[in-house]
Amino acid sequence: MALRFKFQLMVVADDDQQASVDEVVVFDKEYDQPEELGLTLHEPRRSCWQSSARSSTARSLRSWLRGRSGRPAVGHEASKIGRPSSFRTLFGKLELASPRLRRCPCQCGGQASTSPLRELLPEHTAPELLYLESKWASLVPYGLTVEALQDFLPVGTTLNASTVRRDTLRVAGRLEAELGPEPIFPLAGCPDACASLPAAPPPITVGLDGGYLRSWDNEKTHFVAIVGEAVSSDGPAKRLGFVQGHDPKARRHLAAVLEGQGLRHNQELVFLSDGEESLRQLQCYLRPHSQHLVDWFHLSMRMTGLGQFLKGLAHLDVERAAELQDALQHTRWNLWHGKVQRASHWLRQIEWRMWHFAGSYAKFWPLARLVHGFKRYLWRNGGLVPNYARRRRAGQSISTAFVESLVN
């Protein structure tokens, strides 16, 4: 059994009167097999999309060009035929007629002829296509982006990874240019102005973390990429990323994200990070009087690694190994409740008691370096350790675990 289908494009004027009807595509469809029911992903649905896009785009441009060439103030006389202009869309590449307008003899300055279409479409790529390319390329490799787009859109077989990469970097460069100069203390606020503002909304929580990436030019070296996510109570979360030391506007990235979330001068900011010095400087630059906290995730990971080392002592001396494990549990409990001095006391107990295994434990010196490093970490960041238990009961963020996926 076969049926013939006709898809038509109807153009309606401003007065709701039918202006014209274009026959977009005609095809015969058989329904001998279950998979042939309806429209398939490729043909003829893609032909319908491409024909509709080509016809609607051509009519829209003809109407726009008539308005451009018909204005006497423009100073151009009759048009002449120019070379066709390619325009990449979600529905494939379109070849559009691109007339050139001669300059009127009464106009002394300017070019001899201009192309209105090239002025309208300088990039020869539809914004929707650039949006999808950039969005997918920010999540998966360029090659997978091409495969994904070609699976559900008739973007054409000419789309390749190099084109997606070029378009994505062009969009990224445009966004970088829109950031503008990096101001001095952009989010510090004025105390006098804050007093006259209405009640502040709930605080915005900002999680920052870094990940090591291998250098493309020299695979033996690495650099650190900083990523972050700002979470507000009344809007979607916003994300950012930059390479500190390479990006000249690193601090402006975070400032732009917070300004995009409607940050007020009297609104509280809560920064969560792993306590790294450069991240603290970034936070203090943006809002010196905000809350700067060490996240529980990194503290817990350090104590988990320490616990793995202590488990290896059980086969040497069960009783002393149990004492070290108990001291570690006291350290964890005190840090969870924000008692840094008590936690440091129990950490010193671990440091003193572990010397009993100096001559018998094969991994003693890595254990010693880990304990000493943890002590220095608490000494540097002790003032940034809050009462995590209290914040957890209040429903407040205590960890940058939600940023770990961005690092990956």
Side-chain angles (χ1 to χ4, degrees):
M1 179 180 179
L3 296 175
R4 172 163 292 185
F5 291 86
K6 291 185 178 180
F7 285 83
Q8 295 178 332
L9 179 67
M10 180 183 297
V11 181
V12 180
D14 294 337
D15 55 358
D16 292 337
Q17 296 296 322
Q18 179 177 326
S20 63
V21 176
D22 293 339
E23 196 170 85
V24 176
V25 64
V26 179
F27 62 92
D28 295 328
K29 183 73 175 180
E30 294 185 356
Y31 296 103
D32 296 333
Q33 302 295 331
E35 61 269 14
E36 295 175 349
L37 294 175
L39 296 180
T40 62
L41 180 62
H42 297 280
E43 296 293 345
R45 191 174 75 172
R46 292 201 170 191
S47 298
C48 180
W49 282 351
Q50 291 172 333
S51 301
S52 300
R54 187 177 295 106
S55 180
S56 60
T57 304
R59 283 187 171 275
S60 300
L61 288 176
R62 281 200 299 268
S63 177
W64 184 81
L65 289 172
R66 280 197 301 267
R68 291 280 295 182
S69 59
R71 290 185 298 170
V74 177
H76 290 79
E77 58 179 7
S79 63
K80 62 179 182 179
I81 302 300
R83 293 182 299 176
S85 179
S86 299
F87 185 56
R88 296 171 52 240
T89 70
L90 293 174
F91 310 103
K93 182 184 292 186
L94 305 180
E95 296 293 334
L96 306 176
S98 180
R100 297 191 66 84
L101 302 180
R102 298 189 185 93
R103 178 172 53 84
C104 182
C106 63
Q107 300 290 331
C108 299
Q111 299 178 349
S113 64
T114 60
S115 173
L117 185 61
R118 293 184 183 275
E119 295 176 3
L120 177 66
L121 308 174
E123 293 187 351
H124 301 275
T125 304
E128 294 87 353
L129 180 57
L130 288 176
Y131 167 73
L132 285 182
E133 288 179 354
S134 303
K135 182 176 181 180
W136 280 92
S138 67
L139 301 173
V140 297
Y142 299 119
L144 293 180
T145 299
V146 174
E147 295 179 5
L149 292 177
Q150 289 179 345
D151 279 344
F152 63 88
L153 286 174
V155 292
T157 57
T158 57
L159 185 67
N160 53 50
S162 298
T163 302
V164 172
R165 179 180 183 272
R166 183 176 62 251
D167 291 344
T168 303
L169 293 180
R170 188 167 67 246
V171 171
R174 184 190 308 152
L175 294 177
E176 291 285 338
E178 292 176 357
L179 288 177
E182 194 167 54
I184 300 176
F185 293 107
L187 305 176
C190 177
D192 295 336
C194 292
S196 61
L197 293 176
I204 295 179
T205 302
V206 182
L208 296 173
D209 201 358
Y212 285 93
L213 299 177
R214 182 172 296 175
S215 174
W216 178 271
D217 299 324
N218 186 2
E219 295 186 357
K220 295 183 179 180
T221 61
H222 294 75
F223 60 92
V224 180
I226 305 299
V227 297
E229 184 170 353
V231 182
S232 63
S233 60
D234 56 351
K238 291 183 177 291
R239 298 164 179 172
L240 71 146
F242 57 89
V243 179
Q244 205 163 20
H246 174 75
D247 194 332
K249 301 176 183 178
R251 297 175 293 192
R252 187 69 180 92
H253 282 280
L254 182 54
V257 166
L258 295 176
E259 289 172 352
Q261 289 183 312
L263 177 68
R264 299 183 187 178
H265 288 302
N266 62 341
Q267 188 173 6
E268 184 69 24
L269 276 178
V270 179
F271 289 98
L272 288 169
S273 67
D274 59 357
E276 202 271 329
E277 181 66 25
S278 61
L279 292 182
R280 286 207 305 269
Q281 293 176 0
L282 172 64
Q283 299 162 14
C284 292
Y285 167 84
L286 292 174
R287 185 67 71 86
H289 52 273
S290 58
Q291 283 188 312
H292 307 278
L293 308 178
V294 174
D295 73 295
W296 175 253
F297 176 79
H298 284 85
L299 281 176
S300 180
M301 289 297 294
R302 286 176 176 269
M303 288 183 285
T304 300
L306 180 57
Q308 295 297 326
F309 273 100
L310 296 181
K311 286 181 180 180
L313 303 176
H315 68 281
L316 299 177
D317 192 324
V318 177
E319 182 177 353
R320 290 184 179 270
E323 292 177 355
L324 290 173
Q325 289 285 354
D326 183 66
L328 180 61
Q329 291 300 322
H330 281 83
T331 303
R332 182 185 294 272
W333 187 92
N334 282 281
L335 287 177
W336 176 251
H337 291 84
K339 301 179 180 180
V340 180
Q341 292 186 353
R342 292 294 301 169
S344 299
H345 166 75
W346 284 105
L347 198 57
R348 287 193 296 271
Q349 293 292 321
I350 296 176
E351 183 181 29
W352 176 68
R353 295 175 181 177
M354 70 180 183
W355 284 97
H356 174 76
F357 301 93
S360 56
Y361 187 39
K363 297 182 179 180
F364 174 78
W365 292 112
L367 171 62
R369 285 193 296 269
L370 186 60
V371 174
H372 296 332
F374 195 16
K375 282 183 57 181
R376 290 193 301 269
Y377 183 80
L378 289 182
W379 178 78
R380 291 196 308 267
N381 301 290
L384 307 180
V385 176
N387 189 324
Y388 298 103
R390 184 183 304 164
R391 289 183 61 86
R392 184 65 174 269
R393 288 192 297 268
Q396 300 172 340
S397 298
I398 62 172
S399 171
T400 59
F402 62 95
V403 190
E404 290 301 312
S405 60
L406 296 181
V407 176
N408 295 335

